[in-house]
Amino acid sequence: RCCCPRASSRSGPSSIAPPFSVRGRRLSAAHGRSDSMGGMMCPMDSKHVDNNNDGEMRIPSNVTDAAPSRQSQEAEKPPPPKEWLLVEANGCDAELMVLASIQAFCPNALRRYLQRRAQVTGFRCFEYEPHDDGGFRISVPSHAMSIETELKDAWKPLLEEHGVSETSVVLVKIIGVSALAKVEAGDGDKSKLRIVKLVEVEDD
């Protein structure tokens, strides 16, 4: 039966309710139906929305097409690496190197890079230049960034201080900054790369 309260029996203009009352609980006779009709649909009888006592609108549990919960989405995420291991920069995926470098040196620009990458087709958002020794130089024009494996001999003492091999170090250059950074992989898996800044250097 309708959960709406019955309309007042008083006559006169003051007793006539508008099409919907302030609380959305009563209908007027102008809709062609009497409030006494038990089959009249009540506005609060919606089967799609649950209005609980605190006023929050909730989707009922029996709606099968509801969006997945945050808990289920978090459960699908892979576990974080147990450890980060140094890996040789040579042979690492260029796209992952770019993403890891942006994340390390200008994380606020990562979203812009991903949006740009999603909009372009047929070419990459960076330029890759291989070296004869297996090294490389990557340029990202949109972010004025470069990543290269060629290091100066003057920087080798700095690497020894940090206890890293030059094969696991790249030179990252961005506006106003030139720094040596080590390349690490989660649990040794090169599909999970990260770049860690070591020290800033002078480079012409």
Side-chain angles (χ1 to χ4, degrees):
R1 292 179 61 84
C2 175
C3 63
C4 301
R6 297 181 181 276
S8 173
S9 61
R10 293 182 300 172
S11 61
S14 60
S15 64
I16 300 177
F20 285 92
S21 67
V22 175
R23 297 182 180 275
R25 295 177 180 271
R26 292 186 294 178
L27 294 174
S28 70
H31 284 71
R33 297 188 180 183
S34 171
D35 291 346
S36 62
M37 296 178 61
M40 182 177 63
M41 176 63 70
C42 173
M44 303 302 292
D45 287 342
S46 173
K47 297 181 180 180
H48 301 289
V49 179
D50 176 22
N51 186 7
N52 57 28
N53 293 332
D54 59 5
E56 181 183 358
M57 307 302 288
R58 295 178 180 173
I59 302 299
S61 59
N62 60 348
V63 177
T64 58
D65 58 349
S69 63
R70 179 177 299 178
Q71 291 80 357
S72 62
Q73 292 178 345
E74 292 178 352
E76 296 175 357
K77 293 182 179 179
K82 296 180 180 180
E83 58 180 342
W84 291 92
L85 304 175
L86 287 171
V87 293
E88 292 188 1
N90 295 350
C92 289
D93 182 79
E95 181 73 45
L96 295 180
M97 289 290 294
V98 171
L99 292 173
S101 297
I102 294 176
Q103 180 66 42
F105 286 86
C106 48
N108 293 334
L110 182 59
R111 181 184 296 272
R112 176 163 56 92
Y113 177 83
L114 294 175
Q115 291 175 344
R116 177 178 174 81
R117 187 182 66 171
Q119 294 172 354
V120 300
T121 56
F123 64 93
R124 298 179 295 189
C125 295
F126 59 88
E127 300 173 0
Y128 183 84
E129 179 185 346
H131 293 170
D132 295 336
D133 60 356
F136 57 82
R137 184 180 191 277
I138 302 174
S139 299
V140 189
S142 61
H143 291 63
M145 171 183 283
S146 66
I147 310 159
E148 56 185 291
T149 56
E150 185 175 352
L151 308 178
K152 295 181 178 180
D153 292 337
W155 300 335
K156 291 183 180 181
L158 297 175
L159 302 182
E160 293 177 358
E161 291 178 6
H162 287 84
V164 295
S165 171
E166 61 179 304
T167 59
S168 299
V169 175
V170 292
L171 173 65
V172 180
K173 299 174 65 175
I174 198 169
I175 297 177
V177 177
S178 296
L180 301 177
K182 59 181 179 180
V183 183
E184 296 180 334
D187 298 325
D189 183 358
K190 284 190 174 183
S191 66
K192 304 174 184 178
L193 290 184
R194 79 173 182 180
I195 299 293
V196 180
K197 180 180 176 181
L198 294 176
V199 60
E200 294 187 12
V201 295
E202 294 291 336
D203 185 59
D204 299 332

